[in-house]
Amino acid sequence: MKLKINDSNRISGTGSYQKQSEMRASGARKAKSKDEVQISAAAKEMLSANGLQGAERAKQIDQLKRSITSGNYHVEAGKIAEKLLPYLKE
């Protein structure tokens, strides 16, 4: 019986290990990136234009909650459209 050995200096299987190691390293770099939220100037303007602060705002929210639960809340589409129109024109 003859035994033939090809490329005795070659170590097989290291390529796949190296690829896995590289993929893990690139995945770690991707995991370090963080999400960011930026509020546009128009959104900030909308928030400040409301003008209700603290107790006034809480009172209005409570009143809205009560009217919604009782079924008396009515949305006027025309008023909503008037308020949104200036922001949609920009």
Side-chain angles (χ1 to χ4, degrees):
M1 176 178 188
K2 289 186 176 182
L3 188 60
K4 185 175 181 182
I5 300 174
N6 294 326
D7 295 325
S8 60
N9 292 331
R10 189 176 93 180
I11 299 174
S12 64
T14 58
S16 62
Y17 174 77
Q18 187 171 358
K19 285 181 185 178
Q20 285 179 343
S21 177
E22 289 171 359
M23 289 180 72
R24 284 187 189 128
S26 67
R29 280 185 240 124
K30 288 180 184 176
K32 290 180 183 178
S33 66
K34 294 182 180 180
D35 293 336
E36 289 185 20
V37 175
Q38 293 182 348
I39 299 174
S40 68
K44 288 178 184 176
E45 182 182 335
M46 288 174 72
L47 288 172
S48 65
N50 189 353
L52 296 177
Q53 300 295 326
E56 293 175 14
R57 182 172 172 81
K59 184 179 177 182
Q60 186 178 19
I61 290 172
D62 188 45
Q63 184 180 14
L64 285 171
K65 284 181 181 179
R66 280 186 271 134
S67 62
I68 289 170
T69 55
S70 68
N72 296 330
Y73 184 72
H74 175 69
V75 178
E76 294 184 35
K79 284 187 177 181
I80 293 173
E82 286 177 14
K83 297 287 184 174
L84 289 176
L85 193 60
Y87 296 104
L88 296 174
K89 283 184 177 180
E90 291 178 4

